[in-house]
Amino acid sequence: DARVTQTPRHKVTEMGQEVTMRCQPILGHNTVFWYRQTMMQGLELLAYFRNRAPLDDSGMPKDRFSAEMPDATLATLKIQPSEPRDSAVYFCASGLEGVGTIYFGEGSWLTVV
Amino acid sequence: AQSVTQLGSHVSVSEGALVLLRCNYSSSVPPYLFWYVQYPNQGLQLLLKYTSAATLVKGINGFEAEFKKSETSFHLTKPSAHMSDAAEYFCAVSRYSGGGADGLTFGKGTHLIIQP
């Protein structure tokens, strides 16, 4: 059963600490998305990659957030330094260009205190 | 830019009653439209999608949605609600033409409550 895998599932950290979230997309998918979900803003697209190259990161705060794909099986989202307003659920999703459907992971639930 | 509006942040229906969740979209190109469901503490699961093949789309768990271009709507329905349908439902539109391959823009979500 192919699925998008995210780690950690839950993270509580102190303000100022670095947070790294990881995602393993579905094997064969060439497009990876990072979404953030909050009560106030709903689901926001932070960034996405195609064939490991960043295509759009306009939704991501550049001063503290960074996203990379070191290889086709791993995407990372890093926050440094973290702030309480970063508390949210971060979803990774993957899809195949031209097919249309994207599949979501279970999310990384981040709390910054 | 494409956008979706979900009417009603909360919808409550009795078990066995009709479920109707409303979604209107705005798109400058022929849209691809999606409904996703999110159960508590879980990720989003695809219910169904419209990709211009047929205006009435059937999905999982007995849900279906009808694309109405004249009304710019893509409402989600289920004839008979079940307690297990209680969840958050999201309508989404492709950001650009060609499906969701460049990401989706989501509505704010509708929380479906099922009364026993």
Side-chain angles (χ1 to χ4, degrees):
Chain A
D1 184 24
R3 65 176 68 183
V4 176
T5 304
Q6 292 186 245
T7 57
R9 287 295 317 277
H10 299 272
K11 176 77 173 179
V12 180
T13 190
E14 292 185 347
M15 183 173 61
Q17 296 297 306
E18 178 179 297
V19 175
T20 298
M21 289 166 275
R22 294 177 174 81
C23 167
Q24 180 176 4
I26 293 173
L27 186 65
H29 283 185
N30 68 343
T31 309
V32 176
F33 306 87
W34 283 105
Y35 279 88
R36 177 171 63 184
Q37 184 179 36
T38 61
M39 290 292 292
M40 293 298 294
Q41 300 298 327
L43 281 156
E44 305 171 277
L45 178 63
L46 297 176
Y48 79 102
F49 295 77
R50 175 150 305 132
N51 299 321
R52 296 176 55 201
L55 284 194
D56 185 356
D57 62 0
S58 59
M60 200 165 65
K62 301 293 191 303
D63 56 340
R64 297 181 301 107
F65 284 60
S66 61
E68 296 180 345
M69 277 202 76
D71 62 60
T73 64
L74 177 64
T76 63
L77 180 66
K78 187 177 297 185
I79 308 174
Q80 168 63 23
S82 58
E83 298 181 359
R85 58 179 169 154
D86 301 328
S87 297
V89 185
Y90 291 83
F91 287 106
C92 177
S94 72
L96 187 59
E97 182 183 9
V99 174
T101 303
I102 63 174
Y103 298 87
F104 283 77
E106 295 287 289
S108 290
W109 301 68
L110 175 66
T111 302
V112 183
V113 298
Chain B
Q2 279 61 259
S3 66
V4 291
T5 301
Q6 292 184 242
L7 301 176
S9 59
H10 291 77
V11 170
S12 180
V13 303
S14 299
E15 190 175 17
L18 172 71
V19 175
L20 171 61
L21 304 182
R22 300 177 188 273
C23 172
N24 288 89
Y25 70 91
S26 172
S27 179
S28 57
V29 297
Y32 282 44
L33 294 158
F34 304 77
W35 276 100
Y36 282 82
V37 60
Q38 184 179 29
Y39 297 103
N41 301 319
Q42 294 188 24
L44 280 74
Q45 179 183 359
L46 179 69
L47 272 178
L48 50 81
K49 65 179 180 181
Y50 166 76
T51 58
S52 76
T55 57
L56 184 62
V57 182
K58 295 187 183 300
I60 62 172
N61 302 339
F63 284 93
E64 62 181 36
E66 186 173 8
F67 173 72
K68 292 187 176 181
K69 184 178 179 180
S70 61
E71 299 178 7
T72 61
S73 68
F74 190 57
H75 301 332
L76 182 71
T77 61
K78 182 175 180 177
S80 176
H82 191 272
M83 294 300 291
S84 62
D85 294 327
E88 192 83 13
Y89 291 79
F90 293 92
C91 182
V93 63
S94 52
R95 295 174 74 218
Y96 307 107
S97 61
D102 290 293
L104 302 177
T105 297
F106 286 86
K108 294 292 188 184
T110 297
H111 186 64
L112 178 62
I113 301 162
I114 310 296
Q115 305 279 4

